[in-house]
Amino acid sequence: MRTIFREGTRVKLIDQTRLPGEVALVECASVDSLCAAILAMRIRGAPALGVAGAYGVALAAEEGPAEWGSLSEHVTGAAERLRRTRPTAVNLSWGVARAMALVVNNAGRDVDELRRQLWTFADALADRDVEINRQIGSHGAPLLADGARVLTHCNAGALATVDWGTALGVVRTAARQGKRLHIYVDETRPFLQGSRLTAWELEQEGVPYSVITDNMAGHLMARGEIDLCIVGADRIAACGDVANKIGTYTVAVLARVHGLPFYVAAPVSTIDLAIETGGDIPIEERSPEEVLTFAGVRVAPAGARARHPAFDITPAEYVTGIITEMGIAGAPFDESLAAAVAASRAGDG
Amino acid sequence: MRTIFREGTRVKLIDQTRLPGEVALVECASVDSLCAAILAMRIRGAPALGVAGAYGVALAAEEGPAEWGSLSEHVTGAAERLRRTRPTAVNLSWGVARAMALVVNNAGRDVDELRRQLWTFADALADRDVEINRQIGSHGAPLLADGARVLTHCNAGALATVDWGTALGVVRTAARQGKRLHIYVDETRPFLQGSRLTAWELEQEGVPYSVITDNMAGHLMARGEIDLCIVGADRIAACGDVANKIGTYTVAVLARVHGLPFYVAAPVSTIDLAIETGGDIPIEERSPEEVLTFAGVRVAPAGARARHPAFDITPAEYVTGIITEMGIAGAPFDESLAAAVAASRAGDG
């Protein structure tokens, strides 16, 4: 089952807040319900959010008035609401922008035809995401030697994309090539995407793994129990600085100190050439309550305060390579990433 | 209220597994119940365990037979059971050994008198622990400038000792001197000693703080929001390598990369000159279930596996200074730590 798909004019997604306890679907028949699902992280992961953004524009066109001017206004407002739900992952804005280009190109034409086109476009974007992830897997798999012990952070798997995964897609591809791997899964507080989602995917895939708390990776590296790190990304600046789930930067620092490769796996759509360095990437601050509680259980004393930056920036100097569907980009990243984007656009053309 | 104390021939301790929800006492009237409380981490923290070890020997003498030979056998067996509950913190063995020396010195003498002596000795060790922590606080407080933003990991507070605290004792002393501080509290998975215990202590003390997940410290350091780190210790090797709660090593690496001081606060009883380097310190591996659950709620899928090293080793090269009751030891640690131990013994003599 895909992480996000549509049936008719309704968008369905696997509710990731209920995993691994149960596989439940959320149905979104309106832009508002999709925005709410994104805000609550029922769907998350940069590539999946990109596709959600495109489906969101289709939902907006579907629910909007039949008259072109009013529809355009409704869809434009909805696009802005969608973009604002999660500011860090650029893919969401990218997916919205791709769909909005279609709206602009159909200005004044038949509204029903535009709706059909938007649904078809979002479906194609979803199909293409799966294809891209398979390509990322193929490019990245040779980096994993037989017997490799791989650390990953957060969930950059099938659940973060439409299917297959980016960082976990590389693992999946290598495992299906017959390589024996052991994955160390950072539990990834506060949302526990590692222990809840990545462990669930690896359990289903039959790849051996161990969940660890985020603070154990350094110890395992010092003991020589990890060979390389591979993570996803929410936005990559032109210089190669990488925004990803909070804690990624710490993994990169530890990898550097222990002489381990640190790879990022992400589609070209995650590269934001309009952003020069990581310092310009907006870091979403989420509710402190998410740090102070879990599953309804309060863990801190009454009155406790907390911080909750949801992402951090890993400077390019810590990144060994960025695995995209166009191949593996290395330093100098300003050149290799620009080339990847240009090649991707040429392919689209 | 002290973390551990006795009433008559019963040992009472604050049940740290029930904080911050409620302040409940556990009463231990036997060595077995004390061992169970230590294993379940109802009491934890190296200095507190040292005192618990001494009280444990007193409990063993109290519950043992009145005949000297049988009593000696019972107490010796109990001492071994106590030592084995938590292998990493040396203070536990130290407290047991100090009390056992009293047993050996009273060989063949009146058993009731031995019992009285053991209780009195353990009480004195508890009193001395509070005094030592106050001295650590006095030595360490000048390191915290007015306005300092301090990161701490785990709980090295009143709850990890008999009262006052080591790392948090330094914070407490500086705060009572009128310094304005802000403490960043690593939540410290999997047991959440930070969000449950350290936050609770700071809340009571009225010192401003923010709980963060363990993976946020690197981000805050990169943003210039932390000035220095101070943690406790479970065992310090002769060369200055420090065993402490899992995740401490990662904090030390991050501090180094960001040019921040990294201090360890611990009583001299935590220094183990019989151990040359951190590689020789036994690292307790606890149940993986503690990683796969969060605040009592299962978070990982059925069948999930996990690792759970409970401590890690921070090499001496990452340590700016070790604050003991004898002053602040700096590099070269082999000399400064040996001097601190010698000075402490001279003081005891």
Side-chain angles (χ1 to χ4, degrees), chain A residues 187 189 196 209 211 214-215 225 249 258 299 301 304-307, chain B residues 187 189 195-196 209 211 214-215 225 249 258 299 304-305 307:
Chain A
E187 65 172 5
R189 278 281 290 152
R196 294 195 302 107
Y209 67 94
V211 175
D214 300 308
N215 57 25
E225 297 187 39
Y249 169 58
H258 295 91
V299 293
R305 284 161 297 282
R307 286 284 300 276
Chain B
E187 66 172 3
R189 278 282 287 154
S195 49
R196 293 194 303 109
Y209 67 94
V211 175
D214 300 308
N215 57 25
E225 297 188 38
Y249 170 57
H258 295 91
V299 293
R305 284 160 298 282
R307 285 285 300 277

PDB file of all heavy atoms in Angstrom, chain A residues 187 189 196 209 211 214-215 225 249 258 299 301 304-307, chain B residues 187 189 195-196 209 211 214-215 225 249 258 299 304-305 307:
ATOM      1  N   GLU A 187      15.930   6.008  17.604  1.00  0.00           N
ATOM      2  CA  GLU A 187      14.487   6.069  17.860  1.00  0.00           C
ATOM      3  C   GLU A 187      13.892   7.412  17.421  1.00  0.00           C
ATOM      4  O   GLU A 187      12.748   7.475  17.009  1.00  0.00           O
ATOM      5  CB  GLU A 187      14.171   5.815  19.329  1.00  0.00           C
ATOM      6  CG  GLU A 187      14.700   6.875  20.281  1.00  0.00           C
ATOM      7  CD  GLU A 187      14.201   6.679  21.716  1.00  0.00           C
ATOM      8  OE1 GLU A 187      13.524   5.684  22.018  1.00  0.00           O
ATOM      9  OE2 GLU A 187      14.518   7.552  22.548  1.00  0.00           O
ATOM     10  N   ARG A 189      13.590  10.908  18.959  1.00  0.00           N
ATOM     11  CA  ARG A 189      12.678  11.711  19.765  1.00  0.00           C
ATOM     12  C   ARG A 189      12.510  13.081  19.121  1.00  0.00           C
ATOM     13  O   ARG A 189      13.398  13.531  18.417  1.00  0.00           O
ATOM     14  CB  ARG A 189      13.254  11.841  21.182  1.00  0.00           C
ATOM     15  CG  ARG A 189      12.948  10.618  22.032  1.00  0.00           C
ATOM     16  CD  ARG A 189      11.535  10.649  22.564  1.00  0.00           C
ATOM     17  NE  ARG A 189      11.382  11.693  23.581  1.00  0.00           N
ATOM     18  CZ  ARG A 189      10.222  12.326  23.836  1.00  0.00           C
ATOM     19  NH1 ARG A 189       9.129  12.032  23.162  1.00  0.00           N
ATOM     20  NH2 ARG A 189      10.168  13.258  24.763  1.00  0.00           N
ATOM     21  N   ARG A 196       9.071   3.764  15.836  1.00  0.00           N
ATOM     22  CA  ARG A 196       7.698   3.475  15.409  1.00  0.00           C
ATOM     23  C   ARG A 196       7.631   3.116  13.929  1.00  0.00           C
ATOM     24  O   ARG A 196       6.944   2.162  13.554  1.00  0.00           O
ATOM     25  CB  ARG A 196       6.782   4.669  15.697  1.00  0.00           C
ATOM     26  CG  ARG A 196       6.589   4.954  17.198  1.00  0.00           C
ATOM     27  CD  ARG A 196       5.414   5.899  17.439  1.00  0.00           C
ATOM     28  NE  ARG A 196       5.579   7.168  16.747  1.00  0.00           N
ATOM     29  CZ  ARG A 196       4.888   7.530  15.659  1.00  0.00           C
ATOM     30  NH1 ARG A 196       3.951   6.737  15.165  1.00  0.00           N
ATOM     31  NH2 ARG A 196       5.113   8.688  15.080  1.00  0.00           N
ATOM     32  N   TYR A 209      17.811  -5.415  12.461  1.00  0.00           N
ATOM     33  CA  TYR A 209      18.012  -4.058  12.972  1.00  0.00           C
ATOM     34  C   TYR A 209      17.985  -4.062  14.491  1.00  0.00           C
ATOM     35  O   TYR A 209      17.518  -5.013  15.111  1.00  0.00           O
ATOM     36  CB  TYR A 209      16.906  -3.119  12.454  1.00  0.00           C
ATOM     37  CG  TYR A 209      15.559  -3.455  13.021  1.00  0.00           C
ATOM     38  CD1 TYR A 209      15.074  -2.822  14.164  1.00  0.00           C
ATOM     39  CD2 TYR A 209      14.775  -4.457  12.452  1.00  0.00           C
ATOM     40  CE1 TYR A 209      13.855  -3.171  14.708  1.00  0.00           C
ATOM     41  CE2 TYR A 209      13.560  -4.814  12.981  1.00  0.00           C
ATOM     42  CZ  TYR A 209      13.095  -4.167  14.115  1.00  0.00           C
ATOM     43  OH  TYR A 209      11.892  -4.518  14.665  1.00  0.00           O
ATOM     44  N   VAL A 211      16.934  -1.115  17.458  1.00  0.00           N
ATOM     45  CA  VAL A 211      16.545   0.242  17.837  1.00  0.00           C
ATOM     46  C   VAL A 211      17.506   0.710  18.926  1.00  0.00           C
ATOM     47  O   VAL A 211      17.871  -0.059  19.812  1.00  0.00           O
ATOM     48  CB  VAL A 211      15.097   0.265  18.380  1.00  0.00           C
ATOM     49  CG1 VAL A 211      14.731   1.666  18.882  1.00  0.00           C
ATOM     50  CG2 VAL A 211      14.118  -0.200  17.310  1.00  0.00           C
ATOM     51  N   ASP A 214      18.606   7.890  20.764  1.00  0.00           N
ATOM     52  CA  ASP A 214      19.443   8.789  19.965  1.00  0.00           C
ATOM     53  C   ASP A 214      20.814   9.014  20.594  1.00  0.00           C
ATOM     54  O   ASP A 214      21.777   9.319  19.907  1.00  0.00           O
ATOM     55  CB  ASP A 214      18.740  10.140  19.798  1.00  0.00           C
ATOM     56  CG  ASP A 214      17.394   9.985  19.095  1.00  0.00           C
ATOM     57  OD1 ASP A 214      17.355   9.370  18.025  1.00  0.00           O
ATOM     58  OD2 ASP A 214      16.382  10.463  19.632  1.00  0.00           O
ATOM     59  N   ASN A 215      20.882   8.866  21.912  1.00  0.00           N
ATOM     60  CA  ASN A 215      22.146   9.151  22.599  1.00  0.00           C
ATOM     61  C   ASN A 215      23.108   7.959  22.643  1.00  0.00           C
ATOM     62  O   ASN A 215      24.138   8.040  23.295  1.00  0.00           O
ATOM     63  CB  ASN A 215      21.861   9.689  24.011  1.00  0.00           C
ATOM     64  CG  ASN A 215      21.011   8.731  24.829  1.00  0.00           C
ATOM     65  OD1 ASN A 215      21.008   7.528  24.575  1.00  0.00           O
ATOM     66  ND2 ASN A 215      20.294   9.258  25.808  1.00  0.00           N
ATOM     67  N   GLU A 225      31.131  -0.296  16.080  1.00  0.00           N
ATOM     68  CA  GLU A 225      29.991  -1.131  15.701  1.00  0.00           C
ATOM     69  C   GLU A 225      29.137  -0.539  14.588  1.00  0.00           C
ATOM     70  O   GLU A 225      28.086  -1.079  14.249  1.00  0.00           O
ATOM     71  CB  GLU A 225      29.127  -1.424  16.939  1.00  0.00           C
ATOM     72  CG  GLU A 225      29.886  -2.216  18.005  1.00  0.00           C
ATOM     73  CD  GLU A 225      29.006  -2.681  19.172  1.00  0.00           C
ATOM     74  OE1 GLU A 225      27.862  -3.072  18.926  1.00  0.00           O
ATOM     75  OE2 GLU A 225      29.491  -2.645  20.314  1.00  0.00           O
ATOM     76  N   TYR A 249      22.277  16.473  12.666  1.00  0.00           N
ATOM     77  CA  TYR A 249      23.565  17.171  12.780  1.00  0.00           C
ATOM     78  C   TYR A 249      24.476  16.445  13.774  1.00  0.00           C
ATOM     79  O   TYR A 249      25.679  16.273  13.515  1.00  0.00           O
ATOM     80  CB  TYR A 249      23.312  18.617  13.210  1.00  0.00           C
ATOM     81  CG  TYR A 249      24.547  19.380  13.622  1.00  0.00           C
ATOM     82  CD1 TYR A 249      25.622  19.532  12.749  1.00  0.00           C
ATOM     83  CD2 TYR A 249      24.646  19.959  14.885  1.00  0.00           C
ATOM     84  CE1 TYR A 249      26.758  20.239  13.128  1.00  0.00           C
ATOM     85  CE2 TYR A 249      25.762  20.670  15.269  1.00  0.00           C
ATOM     86  CZ  TYR A 249      26.825  20.803  14.391  1.00  0.00           C
ATOM     87  OH  TYR A 249      27.934  21.496  14.769  1.00  0.00           O
ATOM     88  N   HIS A 258      34.500   9.955  14.190  1.00  0.00           N
ATOM     89  CA  HIS A 258      34.870   8.537  14.127  1.00  0.00           C
ATOM     90  C   HIS A 258      35.313   8.091  12.734  1.00  0.00           C
ATOM     91  O   HIS A 258      35.486   6.889  12.491  1.00  0.00           O
ATOM     92  CB  HIS A 258      33.711   7.670  14.633  1.00  0.00           C
ATOM     93  CG  HIS A 258      33.417   7.896  16.091  1.00  0.00           C
ATOM     94  ND1 HIS A 258      32.504   8.833  16.521  1.00  0.00           N
ATOM     95  CD2 HIS A 258      33.959   7.365  17.211  1.00  0.00           C
ATOM     96  CE1 HIS A 258      32.479   8.844  17.846  1.00  0.00           C
ATOM     97  NE2 HIS A 258      33.350   7.975  18.291  1.00  0.00           N
ATOM     98  N   VAL A 299       5.660  13.281  30.992  1.00  0.00           N
ATOM     99  CA  VAL A 299       6.899  12.767  31.564  1.00  0.00           C
ATOM    100  C   VAL A 299       7.628  13.803  32.408  1.00  0.00           C
ATOM    101  O   VAL A 299       8.520  13.463  33.172  1.00  0.00           O
ATOM    102  CB  VAL A 299       7.841  12.214  30.474  1.00  0.00           C
ATOM    103  CG1 VAL A 299       7.232  10.990  29.842  1.00  0.00           C
ATOM    104  CG2 VAL A 299       8.177  13.255  29.432  1.00  0.00           C
ATOM    105  N   PRO A 301       7.613  17.378  35.066  1.00  0.00           N
ATOM    106  CA  PRO A 301       6.786  17.914  36.149  1.00  0.00           C
ATOM    107  C   PRO A 301       5.864  19.023  35.664  1.00  0.00           C
ATOM    108  O   PRO A 301       6.099  19.631  34.625  1.00  0.00           O
ATOM    109  CB  PRO A 301       7.812  18.464  37.139  1.00  0.00           C
ATOM    110  CG  PRO A 301       9.040  18.721  36.335  1.00  0.00           C
ATOM    111  CD  PRO A 301       9.047  17.678  35.264  1.00  0.00           C
ATOM    112  N   ALA A 304       6.783  22.474  33.695  1.00  0.00           N
ATOM    113  CA  ALA A 304       8.031  22.317  32.939  1.00  0.00           C
ATOM    114  C   ALA A 304       7.940  23.023  31.584  1.00  0.00           C
ATOM    115  O   ALA A 304       6.890  23.036  30.946  1.00  0.00           O
ATOM    116  CB  ALA A 304       8.347  20.845  32.735  1.00  0.00           C
ATOM    117  N   ARG A 305       9.055  23.590  31.186  1.00  0.00           N
ATOM    118  CA  ARG A 305       9.153  24.206  29.877  1.00  0.00           C
ATOM    119  C   ARG A 305      10.099  23.370  29.016  1.00  0.00           C
ATOM    120  O   ARG A 305      10.944  22.643  29.541  1.00  0.00           O
ATOM    121  CB  ARG A 305       9.662  25.633  30.000  1.00  0.00           C
ATOM    122  CG  ARG A 305       8.611  26.622  30.493  1.00  0.00           C
ATOM    123  CD  ARG A 305       9.228  27.886  31.047  1.00  0.00           C
ATOM    124  NE  ARG A 305      10.044  27.590  32.217  1.00  0.00           N
ATOM    125  CZ  ARG A 305       9.555  27.359  33.441  1.00  0.00           C
ATOM    126  NH1 ARG A 305       8.253  27.379  33.639  1.00  0.00           N
ATOM    127  NH2 ARG A 305      10.354  27.089  34.458  1.00  0.00           N
ATOM    128  N   ALA A 306       9.940  23.501  27.697  1.00  0.00           N
ATOM    129  CA  ALA A 306      10.793  22.728  26.797  1.00  0.00           C
ATOM    130  C   ALA A 306      11.010  23.508  25.517  1.00  0.00           C
ATOM    131  O   ALA A 306      10.294  24.466  25.226  1.00  0.00           O
ATOM    132  CB  ALA A 306      10.159  21.372  26.492  1.00  0.00           C
ATOM    133  N   ARG A 307      12.016  23.111  24.777  1.00  0.00           N
ATOM    134  CA  ARG A 307      12.244  23.628  23.425  1.00  0.00           C
ATOM    135  C   ARG A 307      11.923  22.517  22.442  1.00  0.00           C
ATOM    136  O   ARG A 307      12.069  21.335  22.768  1.00  0.00           O
ATOM    137  CB  ARG A 307      13.717  24.025  23.264  1.00  0.00           C
ATOM    138  CG  ARG A 307      14.096  25.310  23.978  1.00  0.00           C
ATOM    139  CD  ARG A 307      13.597  26.561  23.234  1.00  0.00           C
ATOM    140  NE  ARG A 307      14.138  26.655  21.894  1.00  0.00           N
ATOM    141  CZ  ARG A 307      15.331  27.169  21.612  1.00  0.00           C
ATOM    142  NH1 ARG A 307      16.064  27.679  22.564  1.00  0.00           N
ATOM    143  NH2 ARG A 307      15.778  27.200  20.374  1.00  0.00           N
TER     144      ARG A 307
ATOM    145  N   GLU B 187      16.672  15.271  28.108  1.00  0.00           N
ATOM    146  CA  GLU B 187      15.663  14.403  28.736  1.00  0.00           C
ATOM    147  C   GLU B 187      16.255  13.061  29.173  1.00  0.00           C
ATOM    148  O   GLU B 187      15.824  12.471  30.140  1.00  0.00           O
ATOM    149  CB  GLU B 187      14.471  14.186  27.806  1.00  0.00           C
ATOM    150  CG  GLU B 187      14.807  13.410  26.537  1.00  0.00           C
ATOM    151  CD  GLU B 187      13.555  13.046  25.736  1.00  0.00           C
ATOM    152  OE1 GLU B 187      12.427  13.430  26.105  1.00  0.00           O
ATOM    153  OE2 GLU B 187      13.716  12.365  24.699  1.00  0.00           O
ATOM    154  N   ARG B 189      17.007   9.749  27.475  1.00  0.00           N
ATOM    155  CA  ARG B 189      16.389   8.443  27.200  1.00  0.00           C
ATOM    156  C   ARG B 189      17.367   7.338  27.556  1.00  0.00           C
ATOM    157  O   ARG B 189      18.572   7.556  27.505  1.00  0.00           O
ATOM    158  CB  ARG B 189      15.997   8.378  25.716  1.00  0.00           C
ATOM    159  CG  ARG B 189      14.656   9.059  25.426  1.00  0.00           C
ATOM    160  CD  ARG B 189      13.482   8.192  25.821  1.00  0.00           C
ATOM    161  NE  ARG B 189      13.308   7.065  24.895  1.00  0.00           N
ATOM    162  CZ  ARG B 189      12.738   5.919  25.239  1.00  0.00           C
ATOM    163  NH1 ARG B 189      12.310   5.700  26.467  1.00  0.00           N
ATOM    164  NH2 ARG B 189      12.618   4.958  24.347  1.00  0.00           N
ATOM    165  N   SER B 195      14.111  14.760  32.097  1.00  0.00           N
ATOM    166  CA  SER B 195      12.781  15.380  32.115  1.00  0.00           C
ATOM    167  C   SER B 195      12.011  15.022  33.375  1.00  0.00           C
ATOM    168  O   SER B 195      11.180  15.805  33.842  1.00  0.00           O
ATOM    169  CB  SER B 195      11.988  14.993  30.856  1.00  0.00           C
ATOM    170  OG  SER B 195      12.019  13.609  30.635  1.00  0.00           O
ATOM    171  N   ARG B 196      12.279  13.838  33.930  1.00  0.00           N
ATOM    172  CA  ARG B 196      11.527  13.435  35.120  1.00  0.00           C
ATOM    173  C   ARG B 196      12.156  13.970  36.412  1.00  0.00           C
ATOM    174  O   ARG B 196      11.470  14.466  37.293  1.00  0.00           O
ATOM    175  CB  ARG B 196      11.427  11.903  35.209  1.00  0.00           C
ATOM    176  CG  ARG B 196      10.568  11.264  34.102  1.00  0.00           C
ATOM    177  CD  ARG B 196      10.209   9.830  34.417  1.00  0.00           C
ATOM    178  NE  ARG B 196      11.394   9.006  34.629  1.00  0.00           N
ATOM    179  CZ  ARG B 196      11.769   8.534  35.812  1.00  0.00           C
ATOM    180  NH1 ARG B 196      11.067   8.795  36.900  1.00  0.00           N
ATOM    181  NH2 ARG B 196      12.858   7.796  35.913  1.00  0.00           N
ATOM    182  N   TYR B 209      14.802  26.671  33.286  1.00  0.00           N
ATOM    183  CA  TYR B 209      15.353  25.560  32.512  1.00  0.00           C
ATOM    184  C   TYR B 209      14.455  25.277  31.322  1.00  0.00           C
ATOM    185  O   TYR B 209      13.296  25.692  31.286  1.00  0.00           O
ATOM    186  CB  TYR B 209      15.468  24.296  33.374  1.00  0.00           C
ATOM    187  CG  TYR B 209      14.129  23.744  33.774  1.00  0.00           C
ATOM    188  CD1 TYR B 209      13.508  22.747  33.016  1.00  0.00           C
ATOM    189  CD2 TYR B 209      13.447  24.257  34.880  1.00  0.00           C
ATOM    190  CE1 TYR B 209      12.256  22.284  33.360  1.00  0.00           C
ATOM    191  CE2 TYR B 209      12.199  23.799  35.225  1.00  0.00           C
ATOM    192  CZ  TYR B 209      11.596  22.804  34.465  1.00  0.00           C
ATOM    193  OH  TYR B 209      10.348  22.360  34.794  1.00  0.00           O
ATOM    194  N   VAL B 211      13.629  21.698  29.027  1.00  0.00           N
ATOM    195  CA  VAL B 211      13.876  20.301  28.686  1.00  0.00           C
ATOM    196  C   VAL B 211      14.083  20.220  27.175  1.00  0.00           C
ATOM    197  O   VAL B 211      13.392  20.890  26.413  1.00  0.00           O
ATOM    198  CB  VAL B 211      12.677  19.412  29.086  1.00  0.00           C
ATOM    199  CG1 VAL B 211      12.888  17.969  28.627  1.00  0.00           C
ATOM    200  CG2 VAL B 211      12.440  19.476  30.594  1.00  0.00           C
ATOM    201  N   ASP B 214      17.486  14.513  23.709  1.00  0.00           N
ATOM    202  CA  ASP B 214      18.942  14.363  23.685  1.00  0.00           C
ATOM    203  C   ASP B 214      19.545  14.790  22.350  1.00  0.00           C
ATOM    204  O   ASP B 214      20.712  15.165  22.280  1.00  0.00           O
ATOM    205  CB  ASP B 214      19.307  12.904  23.973  1.00  0.00           C
ATOM    206  CG  ASP B 214      18.791  12.457  25.335  1.00  0.00           C
ATOM    207  OD1 ASP B 214      19.071  13.155  26.323  1.00  0.00           O
ATOM    208  OD2 ASP B 214      18.100  11.428  25.408  1.00  0.00           O
ATOM    209  N   ASN B 215      18.751  14.681  21.292  1.00  0.00           N
ATOM    210  CA  ASN B 215      19.283  14.992  19.964  1.00  0.00           C
ATOM    211  C   ASN B 215      19.229  16.481  19.593  1.00  0.00           C
ATOM    212  O   ASN B 215      19.524  16.846  18.462  1.00  0.00           O
ATOM    213  CB  ASN B 215      18.568  14.134  18.899  1.00  0.00           C
ATOM    214  CG  ASN B 215      17.069  14.326  18.926  1.00  0.00           C
ATOM    215  OD1 ASN B 215      16.580  15.358  19.360  1.00  0.00           O
ATOM    216  ND2 ASN B 215      16.329  13.328  18.459  1.00  0.00           N
ATOM    217  N   GLU B 225      23.629  28.777  21.700  1.00  0.00           N
ATOM    218  CA  GLU B 225      22.700  28.945  22.823  1.00  0.00           C
ATOM    219  C   GLU B 225      23.146  28.216  24.087  1.00  0.00           C
ATOM    220  O   GLU B 225      22.411  28.170  25.074  1.00  0.00           O
ATOM    221  CB  GLU B 225      21.302  28.487  22.403  1.00  0.00           C
ATOM    222  CG  GLU B 225      20.735  29.339  21.267  1.00  0.00           C
ATOM    223  CD  GLU B 225      19.275  29.040  20.953  1.00  0.00           C
ATOM    224  OE1 GLU B 225      18.499  28.793  21.886  1.00  0.00           O
ATOM    225  OE2 GLU B 225      18.925  29.037  19.757  1.00  0.00           O
ATOM    226  N   TYR B 249      29.023  10.878  26.342  1.00  0.00           N
ATOM    227  CA  TYR B 249      30.114  10.960  25.367  1.00  0.00           C
ATOM    228  C   TYR B 249      29.726  11.858  24.187  1.00  0.00           C
ATOM    229  O   TYR B 249      30.510  12.686  23.726  1.00  0.00           O
ATOM    230  CB  TYR B 249      30.474   9.544  24.893  1.00  0.00           C
ATOM    231  CG  TYR B 249      31.409   9.492  23.715  1.00  0.00           C
ATOM    232  CD1 TYR B 249      32.658  10.112  23.748  1.00  0.00           C
ATOM    233  CD2 TYR B 249      31.046   8.811  22.549  1.00  0.00           C
ATOM    234  CE1 TYR B 249      33.519  10.051  22.658  1.00  0.00           C
ATOM    235  CE2 TYR B 249      31.904   8.748  21.466  1.00  0.00           C
ATOM    236  CZ  TYR B 249      33.132   9.371  21.517  1.00  0.00           C
ATOM    237  OH  TYR B 249      33.976   9.318  20.442  1.00  0.00           O
ATOM    238  N   HIS B 258      32.243  22.452  19.280  1.00  0.00           N
ATOM    239  CA  HIS B 258      31.758  23.833  19.378  1.00  0.00           C
ATOM    240  C   HIS B 258      32.599  24.695  20.317  1.00  0.00           C
ATOM    241  O   HIS B 258      32.222  25.833  20.622  1.00  0.00           O
ATOM    242  CB  HIS B 258      30.292  23.846  19.816  1.00  0.00           C
ATOM    243  CG  HIS B 258      29.386  23.213  18.798  1.00  0.00           C
ATOM    244  ND1 HIS B 258      29.064  21.871  18.817  1.00  0.00           N
ATOM    245  CD2 HIS B 258      28.788  23.716  17.681  1.00  0.00           C
ATOM    246  CE1 HIS B 258      28.287  21.593  17.792  1.00  0.00           C
ATOM    247  NE2 HIS B 258      28.104  22.683  17.078  1.00  0.00           N
ATOM    248  N   VAL B 299       6.454   1.418  22.132  1.00  0.00           N
ATOM    249  CA  VAL B 299       6.519   2.308  20.971  1.00  0.00           C
ATOM    250  C   VAL B 299       6.985   1.600  19.703  1.00  0.00           C
ATOM    251  O   VAL B 299       6.811   2.117  18.613  1.00  0.00           O
ATOM    252  CB  VAL B 299       7.444   3.522  21.241  1.00  0.00           C
ATOM    253  CG1 VAL B 299       6.833   4.408  22.306  1.00  0.00           C
ATOM    254  CG2 VAL B 299       8.833   3.076  21.649  1.00  0.00           C
ATOM    255  N   ALA B 304      10.347  -6.257  17.618  1.00  0.00           N
ATOM    256  CA  ALA B 304      11.481  -5.325  17.515  1.00  0.00           C
ATOM    257  C   ALA B 304      12.581  -5.681  18.499  1.00  0.00           C
ATOM    258  O   ALA B 304      12.319  -6.131  19.610  1.00  0.00           O
ATOM    259  CB  ALA B 304      11.003  -3.888  17.765  1.00  0.00           C
ATOM    260  N   ARG B 305      13.804  -5.492  18.051  1.00  0.00           N
ATOM    261  CA  ARG B 305      14.963  -5.702  18.914  1.00  0.00           C
ATOM    262  C   ARG B 305      15.601  -4.340  19.192  1.00  0.00           C
ATOM    263  O   ARG B 305      15.426  -3.400  18.433  1.00  0.00           O
ATOM    264  CB  ARG B 305      15.955  -6.643  18.236  1.00  0.00           C
ATOM    265  CG  ARG B 305      15.526  -8.118  18.281  1.00  0.00           C
ATOM    266  CD  ARG B 305      16.222  -8.957  17.242  1.00  0.00           C
ATOM    267  NE  ARG B 305      15.918  -8.513  15.892  1.00  0.00           N
ATOM    268  CZ  ARG B 305      14.781  -8.794  15.252  1.00  0.00           C
ATOM    269  NH1 ARG B 305      13.850  -9.512  15.826  1.00  0.00           N
ATOM    270  NH2 ARG B 305      14.570  -8.341  14.028  1.00  0.00           N
ATOM    271  N   ARG B 307      19.146  -2.323  21.460  1.00  0.00           N
ATOM    272  CA  ARG B 307      20.342  -2.371  22.300  1.00  0.00           C
ATOM    273  C   ARG B 307      20.130  -1.428  23.471  1.00  0.00           C
ATOM    274  O   ARG B 307      19.418  -0.430  23.338  1.00  0.00           O
ATOM    275  CB  ARG B 307      21.561  -1.901  21.485  1.00  0.00           C
ATOM    276  CG  ARG B 307      22.057  -2.911  20.476  1.00  0.00           C
ATOM    277  CD  ARG B 307      22.811  -4.059  21.137  1.00  0.00           C
ATOM    278  NE  ARG B 307      23.987  -3.587  21.870  1.00  0.00           N
ATOM    279  CZ  ARG B 307      25.173  -3.337  21.301  1.00  0.00           C
ATOM    280  NH1 ARG B 307      25.344  -3.534  20.013  1.00  0.00           N
ATOM    281  NH2 ARG B 307      26.193  -2.913  22.020  1.00  0.00           N
TER     282      ARG B 307
END
